[in-house]
Amino acid sequence: MKSAGGRLLAGLELDRKAPQPLHRQLYAQLRTQILTGALPSGTRLPSTRTLVSELGISRITVVSAFEQLTAEGFLRSRAGDGTYVDTLWSEAIPQQPMPRPPLSERGAATSSRGTDLFSEAPHSWAPSETESFVASQVASSAFPAATWKRLLARHAGRTDPTLIGYSDPHGHRALREAIADYVNDVRGLGCTADQVIVTSGAQQAFNVLAVLLLDVGDSVIVEDPGHISGRLAFQSLGCPVRGVPVDEEGAVPPEMLGEPGPGYDDGGSPARLACLTPARQHPLGIAMSPARRAEWIAWAQRNGAWIVEDDCDSELRYRGKLLPTLFGLDLSRHVITVGSFSKVLAPSIRLGYCVLPEDLVEPFASASSVIGRPPAMVLQAALADFLTEGHLHAHLRRTRRLYSARQDALLQAIDEQLGHRIDAAPVDSGLHVIGWLREDANDIAVARGLAAGGVYTYPLGEYRVTRQLPPALLIGFAGTAEEHMPYAVGRMAAAWDRWERAKAGS
Ligand SMILES: Cc1ncc(COP(=O)(O)O)c(C=O)c1O
């Protein structure tokens, strides 16, 4: 029989000034000693009386720590013979823990995000600065905060089961109806509210669709260059992505590229799904031509494949007419449309939607509630009112005017201050322009150099799948005030000069 005595007492340090009560401190320190093997199993602990007098604490402190440790299986008391370290914990747990397994291959691929530039920007970018050129940044000063606060307050005080309990996995009915009205009105989708499911933004919709429609190894067609996060959702499920090029009519269908090509996997089978941005190709900004739309729908029908139509910011249009969605054109039900309030309102509210063919609605709702429960009800209820009371339309009218003016100011400032380095043309919609660089420039190095000077842009090179692309930067205009634009672009020019000088000197 081993005796702890002085060894145990020497290892205990109780701090009377600490916020944690003494019995919790004693409990935690004894537990650590048992788990680390400092008090091996079978060790007899000093008597309560000894601990009381040696540590200067009350009997109740010792008794309550011992009772807790006994209840958890760390200690065992033998009638008339004292208290011992139980074998349960000390023998079951090896003294030298083995290394933990590494991340899964999918986990490592998913968590690396494929780029370190994106992970840098949000950390060092100060949200209070207005001169951000980050591509998907909205104008925070234009956010309708007073209305949003009022609508949130209206629902935050409700205690009915709809607001308090687990909510409908399809989403709040009032919001589904409001979204159906909105997309039918603005985008001509021609759907019913029953076909709309509310999601935590487009990203959740991509993840649910990947689980629902694809098996590991199924290949997915994406645009090259294309939206990074959407592509990662498919890749992280173990589905290889194959990039199709984008020309002046939009994404090129695989059959125009020949066989074997990106439309087929290594065994020659056609891809099972294509994820496209027809309204406004992301990131290049091209609107897909009507002929291309017909070709993609024919491709899906011929090959029994799905099309996920990412329609996340087409409402932010400054000129020209919007073409109908693939969803609205496809009568054979091969198309699913994904939408988001991230760009039309704010990315932080994490609300989006998926419009599905009728037979996919219930499978999607079930899969969605396995992968992540529906968004917070108070947000859904507030957004439903925001739409039905016409606030979104008013906000869109305001931000369209604002962003259009900001775009003009950006292009003018680039022309005046950076025309020797950047060639940028106006875009009809969206929140960024493409700033083409000189042929020999390395856009990733430029973006990194600018970021080192506190100016954030995204390099086009980060959006590529396999295709070599001319060097360019995505330069967001929505986050910088019109009158601030010359100064902001001046900062970019100065950061560029500093970086060039540092390069030349090194
Ligand atoms: C092409 C594209 N799809 C989707 C989204 C929206 O994603 P989420 O709703 O997850 O914020 C964005 C936003 O930046 C985007 O650029």
Side-chain angles (χ1 to χ4, degrees):
M1 194 178 305
K2 305 155 201 162
S3 164
R7 190 157 37 93
L8 166 65
L9 292 168
L12 292 172
E13 270 183 39
L14 302 182
D15 178 1
R16 288 180 164 68
K17 295 202 189 91
Q20 201 179 35
L22 290 174
H23 70 93
R24 286 303 297 177
Q25 294 184 40
L26 183 59
Y27 156 83
Q29 291 182 27
L30 286 171
R31 197 178 76 140
T32 304
Q33 293 204 20
I34 295 169
L35 283 172
T36 56
L39 281 179
S41 90
T43 302
R44 184 169 192 254
L45 296 191
S47 69
T48 310
R49 189 177 313 137
T50 307
L51 286 168
V52 166
S53 70
E54 291 294 326
L55 298 172
I57 52 179
S58 72
R59 187 172 177 281
I60 187 74
T61 300
V62 179
V63 170
S64 83
F66 275 25
E67 275 178 0
Q68 186 62 34
L69 289 161
T70 305
E72 291 177 15
F74 289 103
L75 298 180
R76 185 166 31 88
S77 46
R78 293 193 202 149
D81 187 23
T83 303
Y84 291 80
V85 175
D86 203 330
T87 52
L88 179 70
W89 286 99
S90 48
E91 285 181 1
I93 295 175
Q95 297 306 306
Q96 292 293 324
M98 296 297 284
R100 295 172 312 148
L103 293 181
S104 67
E105 277 178 30
R106 275 176 43 196
T110 309
S111 54
S112 80
R113 300 206 67 210
T115 168
D116 57 0
L117 220 117
F118 284 85
S119 55
E120 260 170 41
H123 293 302
S124 37
W125 169 62
S128 56
E129 286 190 9
T130 49
E131 60 271 17
S132 166
F133 298 113
V134 171
S136 44
Q137 196 196 331
V138 297
S140 46
S141 59
F143 182 77
T147 308
W148 187 242
K149 183 178 166 193
R150 181 166 52 77
L151 298 180
L152 278 179
R154 182 186 293 170
H155 296 286
R158 281 171 56 188
T159 55
D160 52 285
T162 329
L163 256 287
I164 296 297
Y166 279 106
S167 53
D168 183 343
H170 302 82
H172 182 38
R173 182 74 204 176
L175 180 56
R176 296 171 72 198
E177 283 169 5
I179 291 173
D181 285 347
Y182 171 69
V183 293
N184 288 335
D185 176 19
V186 180
R187 301 296 290 117
L189 247 77
C191 67
T192 65
D194 290 335
Q195 292 176 268
V196 176
I197 294 194
V198 181
T199 62
S200 301
Q203 196 59 23
Q204 193 207 350
F206 295 140
N207 279 297
V208 175
L209 289 169
V211 170
L212 196 64
L213 306 178
L214 299 169
D215 288 309
V216 174
D218 283 344
S219 53
V220 172
I221 293 176
V222 293
E223 297 167 329
D224 186 4
H227 180 47
I228 300 174
S229 310
R231 177 206 313 159
L232 286 170
F234 298 114
Q235 278 175 312
S236 71
L237 191 79
C239 296
V241 295
R242 287 161 193 276
V244 292
V246 178
D247 65 15
E248 63 288 350
E249 290 194 65
V252 181
E255 276 140 15
M256 286 176 66
L257 299 166
E259 196 180 339
Y264 306 88
D265 65 19
D266 295 336
S269 308
R272 193 139 159 205
L273 184 147
C275 188
L276 305 172
T277 50
R280 185 181 158 276
Q281 203 279 330
H282 188 81
L284 296 176
I286 294 157
M288 188 181 279
S289 71
R292 278 291 160 78
R293 285 168 200 253
E295 279 162 27
W296 274 107
I297 291 172
W299 169 83
Q301 293 179 359
R302 227 180 355 259
N303 292 292
W306 297 106
I307 292 179
V308 173
E309 176 176 40
D310 177 354
D311 194 57
C312 285
D313 59 5
S314 53
E315 306 94 312
L316 285 165
R317 196 157 191 88
Y318 313 113
R319 58 187 80 82
K321 270 191 82 63
L322 251 181
L323 290 168
T325 54
L326 296 184
F327 187 96
L329 294 170
D330 166 44
L331 301 179
S332 67
R333 300 283 175 253
H334 286 73
V335 180
I336 297 141
T337 292
V338 172
S340 168
F341 293 95
S342 286
K343 286 185 184 168
V344 291
L345 195 50
S348 63
I349 66 168
R350 302 309 312 141
L351 284 169
Y353 52 89
C354 199
V355 186
L356 298 139
E358 290 86 347
D359 56 339
L360 279 189
V361 170
E362 290 314 317
F364 186 98
S366 304
S368 179
S369 60
V370 170
I371 291 165
R373 303 265 179 218
M377 266 302 288
V378 66
L379 292 177
Q380 293 194 58
L383 185 62
D385 290 355
F386 194 80
L387 270 93
T388 48
E389 292 175 12
H391 302 299
L392 185 61
H393 280 296
H395 181 62
L396 276 171
R397 273 196 303 277
R398 241 189 340 265
T399 45
R400 266 192 216 115
R401 271 198 309 275
L402 185 75
Y403 294 164
S404 179
R406 288 183 175 193
Q407 178 181 194
D408 291 347
L410 172 69
L411 292 171
Q412 190 182 336
I414 288 179
D415 194 38
E416 287 166 5
Q417 303 185 54
L418 276 165
H420 56 301
R421 292 199 158 123
I422 296 179
D423 179 16
V427 290
D428 291 344
S429 59
L431 304 179
H432 69 265
V433 296
I434 300 281
W436 299 103
L437 309 185
R438 284 204 314 250
E439 235 168 72
D440 57 347
N442 173 340
D443 53 11
I444 295 180
V446 171
R448 213 179 286 283
L450 293 180
V455 176
Y456 296 101
T457 58
Y458 287 156
L460 181 63
E462 295 275 3
Y463 290 76
R464 83 187 186 105
V465 183
T466 54
R467 221 155 292 275
Q468 274 308 330
L469 303 162
L473 298 177
L474 277 68
I475 308 175
F477 48 77
T480 303
E482 193 185 341
E483 61 279 9
H484 209 67
M485 204 61 93
Y487 166 75
V489 172
R491 274 196 62 192
M492 183 190 281
W496 208 315
D497 287 344
R498 272 198 307 279
W499 172 67
E500 291 275 12
R501 278 199 301 276
K503 231 178 13 148
S506 62

